[in-house]
Amino acid sequence: MFEKTLDESKINRAVLAGLNAPCLSREENADEGSLEELEALLETAGGQCVGTVLQNKTTPDPRTFLGEGKVGEVKQLVEAAGADLVIFDNDLSPSQQRALTEDLGVQVLDRSALILDIFAQRARTSEGRLQVELAQYKYLLPRLTGMWGHLVRQNASGGKSPIGTRGPGETQLETDRRLIRGKITKLEGELREVRRVRATQRQRREKNEVPVVAIVGYTNAGKSTLLNALTGSDIPANNRLFDTLDTTTRTLELSDTCTVLVSDTVGFISKLPHHLVEAFKATLEELEYADLLLHVIDASNPGWREQAEVVERLITELGAWETPRVDVFNKADLLDGDILPHGEDIVTISARTGQGLEELKEKLRSRLDLGNHRVTLALPYDQGGLMDMLYREARVEQVEYGETIDVVAVCTPKVLGRVRAYIADGWTPPREFWED
């Protein structure tokens, strides 16, 4: 198993570092805002920031990412503050990570490793642990070489190695690589089984025509609080990043004939590791099959536009760009001014105080209530064909067997038309059926 990066027995003191270079994309660059978010991630993981270093440089240094002078500055800060960790806001290559660890004398991580550590702490269900473990192994695989630096690899040119170290370094490295590739293959197989089970559950929902609403958004935007407010659930909703990792689904009754499933998904964040997105596709593919997305936006955050762009980009990457969407601007109670975000597909709410929730429910009803009808039928026992059709194509809520088969079912307009056609073909029910 991937060894935990942050020691849980003490608070890690970390120096945060980042590089802003014109040759890097906006997503790859570091700035003051992303370093503040990195500090929040560190606190979520249980660490403490003791200093930050941000360098503006034309291009990254091939060996140490930062320039030689800045690396020296980071080392001085590490020694002065007694730090035992340096975390980079940018992604580092395995060789850069090794070189920086040697130069600085403390463990060096990048943003991806820190996020993986948080996910490892938050995973509770077996599915969540599977997905995190797969992402960790994929992150670890290219970094194995540095773990065997104390063993000298075989020298094809015939160079001499210290006695007792000839050969085993390369052998052990290849052995570990083979073992980890085997674990990755096994985990991918287990996650395929998870996807198969989810597909079966999805087919059952589609058969019963139960709409699915997926709540998406930047981490700490208030998704779990919204799920609690809509459905009366009591899932943990704390003011910290990635508080919810495992997907939670609850039912919401919008009307007598319209019940929907509402799913709270893992929060997104800028620079989310690609292998983490890949590992969590077994969960996040639900976005593609949802009937409606609620994109929750923290309206009180000055950088909400940039956060919304990150979510939109990941929704597109996950193949859910065509799914209907409602933008839900949350934390309206923290906004100053009378003008709130508004529009046809926009609702402004406060999940904490309940402001705007009725408007949001009305928006959901207008999108998802398909005009279904609840019908009550008293079927003679020789009319099993209609009963079979109801089980296949309607949502049967109640069946009582007496002199007749009394059935209460919720039907779509199409199925209701078939019921009427069935009756018109020559069978008159022993008592009137009605629609709610």
Side-chain angles (χ1 to χ4, degrees):
M1 180 61 188
F2 189 91
E3 184 180 351
K4 282 196 65 60
T5 303
L6 301 182
D7 186 355
E8 295 179 349
S9 64
K10 65 173 183 176
I11 296 179
N12 289 88
R13 297 166 60 82
V15 172
L16 308 184
L19 175 70
N20 189 298
C23 64
L24 300 177
S25 66
R26 188 177 68 174
E27 177 76 10
E28 296 171 322
N29 267 318
D31 54 32
E32 292 182 359
S34 65
L35 282 174
E36 287 179 5
E37 188 175 77
L38 185 65
E39 183 176 352
L41 286 168
L42 175 62
E43 292 174 358
T44 299
Q48 177 186 0
C49 174
V50 295
T52 60
V53 174
L54 178 63
Q55 181 178 29
N56 293 302
K57 193 174 184 291
T58 307
T59 58
D61 186 280
R63 180 179 177 273
T64 56
F65 199 72
L66 297 180
E68 184 178 349
K70 274 298 180 193
V71 173
E73 182 181 329
V74 171
K75 185 171 184 178
Q76 290 177 358
L77 186 55
V78 166
E79 294 172 348
D84 54 7
L85 199 62
V86 174
I87 304 177
F88 276 73
D89 193 40
N90 315 80
D91 280 335
L92 301 174
S93 69
S95 61
Q96 288 169 340
Q97 196 169 347
R98 289 196 302 273
L100 285 164
T101 300
E102 292 171 1
D103 291 354
L104 298 175
V106 295
Q107 188 175 14
V108 176
L109 304 178
D110 57 15
R111 187 185 182 98
S112 295
L114 181 61
I115 292 175
L116 283 171
D117 187 273
I118 295 171
F119 272 54
Q121 294 181 42
R122 293 284 185 269
R124 294 291 179 267
T125 64
S126 57
E127 178 187 341
R129 292 191 185 101
L130 276 178
Q131 293 173 125
V132 172
E133 190 175 356
L134 176 60
Q136 288 176 324
Y137 278 127
K138 286 188 173 180
Y139 179 84
L140 177 62
L141 185 60
R143 290 165 171 78
L144 279 177
T145 306
M147 298 175 64
W148 291 100
H150 62 291
L151 295 178
V152 179
R153 297 167 62 177
Q154 284 180 311
N155 193 328
S157 64
K160 295 195 65 175
S161 301
I163 294 174
T165 63
R166 298 185 182 103
E170 184 72 15
T171 303
Q172 185 64 57
L173 177 62
E174 290 305 317
T175 300
D176 282 359
R177 281 176 174 161
R178 186 168 58 253
L179 287 172
I180 287 182
R181 289 191 185 105
K183 287 181 181 291
I184 288 174
T185 301
K186 180 176 179 292
L187 289 168
E188 287 175 337
E190 293 179 13
L191 284 174
R192 278 194 296 271
E193 177 63 16
V194 169
R195 287 189 175 187
R196 188 192 65 78
V197 172
R198 284 187 180 274
T200 302
Q201 294 171 341
R202 199 158 44 240
Q203 289 172 356
R204 189 177 300 117
R205 291 199 304 263
E206 290 170 353
K207 171 196 164 191
N208 294 329
E209 300 192 3
V210 180
V212 176
V213 177
I215 302 177
V216 299
Y218 209 78
T219 182
N220 207 33
K223 300 183 298 301
S224 298
T225 305
L226 176 58
L227 179 65
N228 288 339
L230 286 174
T231 66
S233 303
D234 57 353
I235 62 174
N238 301 306
N239 184 25
R240 59 184 183 184
L241 304 183
F242 295 121
D243 191 56
T244 300
L245 178 56
D246 299 308
T247 300
T248 304
T249 302
R250 297 290 185 268
T251 58
L252 169 63
E253 290 190 11
L254 293 175
S255 67
D256 289 342
T257 57
C258 183
T259 299
V260 302
L261 295 177
V262 184
S263 293
D264 177 23
T265 61
V266 62
F268 296 145
I269 197 169
S270 62
K271 307 179 187 179
L272 192 64
H274 181 72
H275 42 268
L276 193 58
V277 176
E278 284 294 320
F280 271 74
K281 276 190 175 177
T283 297
L284 294 175
E285 70 178 0
E286 287 295 306
L287 301 185
E288 183 180 355
Y289 296 98
D291 298 279
L292 182 69
L293 299 182
L294 294 184
H295 179 186
V296 181
I297 301 167
D298 181 358
S300 68
N301 191 313
W304 68 262
R305 289 180 177 82
E306 290 76 17
Q307 293 182 351
E309 286 178 9
V310 170
V311 176
E312 294 287 343
R313 189 162 56 248
L314 286 168
I315 287 174
T316 300
E317 181 181 342
L318 292 165
W321 65 89
E322 294 182 343
T323 304
R325 194 174 319 161
V326 173
D327 290 336
V328 181
F329 284 84
N330 191 26
K331 306 186 183 182
D333 54 315
L334 302 179
L335 291 178
D336 295 326
D338 299 328
I339 301 178
L340 300 176
H342 58 279
E344 182 180 355
D345 294 322
I346 294 174
V347 180
T348 302
I349 69 163
S350 169
R352 186 175 64 86
T353 66
Q355 174 187 343
L357 287 183
E358 286 305 316
E359 181 184 353
L360 176 58
K361 289 180 181 178
E362 184 56 40
K363 187 83 67 174
L364 293 176
R365 276 190 286 269
S366 66
R367 293 293 194 93
L368 300 173
D369 194 340
L370 304 176
N372 292 347
H373 302 266
R374 179 178 283 107
V375 299
T376 302
L377 296 170
L379 303 179
Y381 283 89
D382 60 354
Q383 296 298 327
L386 180 56
M387 188 68 191
D388 182 60
M389 187 267 286
L390 289 173
Y391 269 121
R392 286 196 321 269
E393 302 186 27
R395 189 171 79 244
V396 177
E397 294 184 339
Q398 182 180 333
V399 179
E400 292 184 1
Y401 294 91
E403 293 183 2
T404 59
I405 306 174
D406 296 334
V407 184
V408 179
V410 176
C411 305
T412 64
K414 179 180 178 180
V415 173
L416 183 60
R418 294 186 62 182
V419 171
R420 287 175 171 151
Y422 198 107
I423 294 171
D425 283 341
W427 170 65
T428 303
R431 66 184 174 89
E432 181 184 9
F433 78 91
W434 64 90
E435 306 165 16
D436 288 348

